[in-house]
Amino acid sequence: MVESSESVMVIVVTPTYKRYTRVPDMIRMANTLAHVKNLYWIVIEDGNKTSQAVKDILDGTGLQYTYMAYPTAKGFPKKGWYQRTMALRFIRSNTEQIVGPSKNGVVYFGDDDNSYDIRLFTDYIMNVKKLGIWAVGYCGGSPVEAPNVTDGKVPSFNVQWSPKRVFAVDMAGFAVNLKVVLNSDAEFGTFCKRGTGAPETCLLEDMGLDRTDIEPFGWEGKEGQRKIYAWHTKTQPPYIKGKLETFGYQVEIE
């Protein structure tokens, strides 16, 4: 296990849904998270019931976790918004169960079709005091989306899509200290009127945050040597031909 200098609980929220690539995607993510000390994984199924295949993966990590099922409610887009909202409600209602009486934690929205370096959790997320933001690879039509950092501050963002958003950041590119979450009732609604409809900026603005609250990570390195610890690596559906026979093996078929 990777050791942390502080007893900070990393709370990872992952919406998921049944698809051909879901099991290998979850295995890849689980293999990373299993090496992070003090991590609580909240996985929310977009469906009427949980999946045994996913539960088996979660059990294999040895991590503390909660796995629950909430089908997307009417009016919400099929993009995990409702599932993330239910996770936020669970965190606020079960804080002591997750982190104990200290309430010392950080919330991160980690999708199951991305790739993560362990250092994202140990070097970045565990050290977020209010709002941490970092670069994400292969995101928004760009090789990388990243905060534009000047003297440790973030006056703007290096992104192609809707750069004038208050928080022009991808879901994988930020984490929020648990105390900020608990001091707010902000959720992912059915839509977002601000920031060209991007849910990230609506959530963070509704939490009462602004750009002066940003703690940028990973920008200090030399030009061309800055590391990316979160990547959009969406897997492609496999080529399936003929009879959908699984021969008794645990395969989720769409």
Side-chain angles (χ1 to χ4, degrees), residues 101-242:
S102 70
K103 297 184 180 180
N104 194 11
V106 181
V107 177
Y108 178 65
F109 298 98
D111 290 348
D112 61 5
D113 56 356
N114 294 336
S115 295
Y116 306 96
D117 190 297
I118 295 171
R119 291 170 290 183
L120 173 69
F121 304 94
T122 59
D123 296 0
Y124 291 3
I125 296 175
M126 283 186 176
N127 292 299
V128 171
K129 304 305 179 188
K130 198 166 190 180
L131 170 62
I133 288 183
W134 42 79
V136 178
Y138 303 147
C139 184
S142 303
V144 59
E145 287 190 346
N148 178 28
V149 184
T150 303
D151 297 327
K153 303 296 182 181
V154 180
S156 61
F157 292 85
N158 294 317
V159 300
Q160 289 190 42
W161 182 72
S162 190
K164 293 185 179 180
R165 286 173 286 162
V166 175
F167 295 104
V169 61
D170 181 75
M171 199 70 70
F174 72 92
V176 183
N177 191 280
L178 178 59
K179 291 183 175 63
V180 175
V181 174
L182 297 179
N183 288 332
S184 163
D185 60 0
E187 298 179 340
F188 293 91
T190 55
F191 63 94
C192 175
K193 292 183 178 179
R194 287 160 281 156
T196 325
E200 297 89 350
T201 193
C202 273
L203 179 73
L204 296 176
E205 289 179 67
D206 288 347
M207 286 182 172
L209 299 168
D210 59 42
R211 287 181 180 174
T212 62
D213 295 311
I214 297 175
E215 307 154 63
F217 289 85
W219 59 277
E220 303 94 336
K222 293 182 180 179
E223 191 77 21
Q225 296 182 16
R226 296 170 188 153
K227 304 296 184 183
I228 298 173
Y229 292 158
W231 297 83
H232 275 250
T233 51
K234 299 181 186 300
T235 47
Q236 293 296 316
Y239 173 65
I240 304 293
K241 182 180 179 180

